[in-house]
Amino acid sequence: MTVTEKRPVLVATEADDITADMVISELNRRDVPVVRFNPADVGGDLTVSARFGTCPAPVVGQVRTPSRTADLTRVRSVYWRRPEWPSFANLSPDDSRFAAAQVRYGLGGTLYALDGPLWVNHPLRIAAADYKPVQLALAQQLGFTIPPTLVTNNPTEAREFIRMQGDAIFKTLRWTPYTRDGVPVTGWADPVTPDEIDDSVRVTPHLFQARVDKAADLRVLIVGRHTFSVRIDSELLDWRKDYSALTYTVEHLPDWVDKALHAYLDRLELVSGSFDLAVDRAGDYWWLELNPNGQWGWLETETGFPMSAAFADLLMQGDS
Amino acid sequence: MTTSVVLPTLTRPWGAGRLAPYPTATRRPHATVTIDPTTQLGVFRDRTGQVVEMGKHGTSSGTETSTTTNSDSRNDQGHDQDSSQD
């Protein structure tokens, strides 16, 4: 064992994260030390101390949890899985805004200052990639076919676009936590008709898209140089609506599609991402969207693809 | 197009009305989660403090779409990427 092999992987995620557990188990199997933390634990179970300008290394210090200490100069890689930022909901609005920002810019900022580790993925790159208009434009640039899409807060244009497409759907531009009468709700790809459009479209931009006459969906997970491509067959417009109605098979992507998806992540400086594509009845591919931090744990269980091992290999390899 | 429109500033955006519940609200068996100091894995316990085996197969589709903490959509655009402070 060289010293390099003992450098830790930081795993930033909440405690309840079975998918992270799958990757950590693989890292344990590889005898790679893991320091798991959740930013929301700051103050109690999480301490950060970083010094700047005190020695030749630009950043020195530690992140400490109740069980582990990570030396910031020795971090091999960072797995940014599903971290929670603290909300300080018990403080006044001003104090909670202040406190939350200090954590983001103090703890987050210290981690962003490290120039050594490999990030899977860097949160600032994830944030930059999370704009659907940016994603659609880049997909077309890289040679993909995308469904005609309109982003507008003009009800007249929205109505006209939906009428022209014949079959159209509405998608949210951004997910936010939302409960209605105590029940959590979320956006689904659902058909929309012109007569459903009213003046409240004017309040914010909305995304309308032609509905692809698809034969199946594809979920393509890229982890480093690996591509895991899964065909999802169902009768559903949005396959997330009923997982029990789905069948999964391994899909062999054409070489150009595989290369273009890797190029897509390279352009956004991401090392991993989950793409949603559709195959139409003619067998042509339609690019739908990228989830830079997408869920994949259940797909490993369904397909047997060694996804968590691929994440562990990538994190182990780190910046070397 | 010179039609003047009074902006309905207190109106909820049209899209908010399109949001709908998660269809598969799977109840997960644990009450608390802690981190094992040695393995750094989550340790799930029920209300009586008994360890519940979640394991790899806990990532069944139902788990991933449960309404509260594990929805696929939330992961896909998680709170960690919240840009509200930028």
Side-chain angles (χ1 to χ4, degrees):
Chain A
M1 285 267 166
T2 66
V3 173
T4 312
E5 281 171 314
K6 286 297 182 188
R7 294 167 61 200
V9 174
L10 290 188
V11 178
T13 196
E14 60 190 341
D16 182 359
D17 185 352
I18 299 160
T19 305
D21 288 344
M22 290 161 67
V23 176
I24 292 171
S25 294
E26 292 288 340
L27 289 167
N28 288 344
R29 206 163 290 153
R30 288 161 178 71
D31 203 24
V32 176
V34 170
V35 179
R36 177 179 182 152
F37 72 99
N38 191 8
D41 294 338
V42 75
D45 281 350
L46 179 64
T47 306
V48 60
S49 285
R51 291 162 196 257
F52 302 81
T54 59
C55 67
V59 190
V60 292
Q62 303 86 28
V63 168
R64 282 201 183 87
T65 72
S67 57
R68 297 280 161 96
T69 298
D71 178 342
L72 292 173
T73 60
R74 294 185 38 79
V75 177
R76 180 195 303 244
S77 55
V78 184
Y79 186 26
W80 202 257
R81 221 320 264 188
R82 202 161 64 188
E84 298 171 302
W85 289 103
S87 62
F88 296 98
N90 56 327
L91 299 180
S92 72
D94 284 315
D95 281 333
S96 66
R97 262 196 304 276
F98 177 84
Q102 304 313 305
V103 179
R104 285 210 184 227
Y105 287 80
L107 173 59
T110 295
L111 297 174
Y112 305 160
L114 307 178
D115 60 0
L118 172 78
W119 288 81
V120 184
N121 283 307
H122 199 295
L124 299 180
R125 301 288 91 73
I126 294 173
D130 249 341
Y131 293 85
K132 286 180 184 169
V134 173
Q135 293 190 0
L136 289 165
L138 180 55
Q140 184 166 6
Q141 269 181 39
L142 290 174
F144 288 105
T145 306
I146 58 168
T149 303
L150 172 69
V151 175
T152 189
N153 68 329
N154 181 325
T156 311
E157 286 202 40
R159 237 177 254 117
E160 189 56 28
F161 176 84
I162 295 164
R163 193 173 294 122
M164 294 283 288
Q165 300 308 322
D167 269 323
I169 59 171
F170 162 73
K171 282 178 159 184
T172 55
L173 283 151
R174 168 79 187 165
W175 182 89
T176 52
Y178 198 112
T179 54
R180 189 185 293 133
D181 304 325
V183 178
V185 293
T186 191
W188 304 91
D190 270 325
V192 57
T193 56
D195 56 299
E196 290 180 295
I197 299 300
D198 65 34
D199 233 32
S200 62
V201 162
R202 215 173 270 288
V203 182
T204 65
H206 288 73
L207 188 153
F208 301 97
Q209 191 166 67
R211 178 178 173 174
V212 177
D213 185 23
K214 69 182 184 190
D217 286 283
L218 298 182
R219 180 79 161 197
V220 183
L221 171 70
I222 288 178
V223 186
R225 58 192 172 78
H226 297 280
T227 308
F228 302 105
S229 179
V230 183
R231 179 186 170 107
I232 303 177
D233 281 283
S234 75
E235 296 301 313
L236 301 166
L237 174 55
D238 188 328
W239 53 259
R240 297 171 304 147
K241 278 205 168 168
D242 184 4
Y243 285 80
S244 69
L246 311 179
T247 50
Y248 304 91
T249 46
V250 172
E251 173 86 2
H252 294 284
L253 290 177
D255 196 44
W256 80 265
V257 173
D258 186 38
K259 285 202 167 76
L261 293 177
H262 281 268
Y264 197 107
L265 293 183
D266 288 346
R267 285 282 289 272
L268 294 173
E269 297 177 59
L270 300 168
V271 297
S272 175
S274 295
F275 290 95
D276 288 322
L277 303 162
V279 198
D280 66 20
R281 295 178 203 281
D284 291 324
Y285 291 92
W286 293 75
W287 193 98
L288 298 179
E289 62 181 76
L290 164 69
N291 307 290
N293 198 14
Q295 185 59 278
W296 52 266
W298 96 102
L299 276 180
E300 169 160 318
T301 311
E302 293 286 351
T303 63
F305 270 141
M307 295 167 167
S308 48
F311 274 103
D313 287 339
L314 184 62
L315 291 162
M316 180 176 176
Q317 170 199 324
D319 57 332
S320 63
Chain B
M1 297 286 278
T2 53
T3 322
S4 80
V5 177
V6 180
L7 265 182
T9 47
L10 289 176
T11 303
R12 182 182 299 139
W14 179 86
R18 307 286 295 191
L19 305 177
Y22 297 83
T24 46
T26 307
R27 198 160 289 282
R28 303 176 72 213
H30 66 278
T32 63
V33 194
T34 53
I35 302 301
D36 181 292
T38 308
T39 62
Q40 299 287 288
L41 298 169
V43 179
F44 297 77
R45 286 192 172 82
D46 65 18
R47 282 179 205 291
T48 67
Q50 290 291 310
V51 172
V52 185
E53 194 53 58
M54 302 295 281
K56 191 167 162 174
H57 297 286
T59 59
S60 68
S61 49
T63 302
E64 299 296 340
T65 44
S66 72
T67 54
T68 48
T69 58
N70 261 333
S71 67
D72 192 47
S73 315
R74 200 201 75 171
N75 287 324
D76 285 354
Q77 290 193 314
H79 44 177
D80 57 301
Q81 300 138 31
D82 193 345
S83 55
S84 63
Q85 308 197 16
D86 298 341

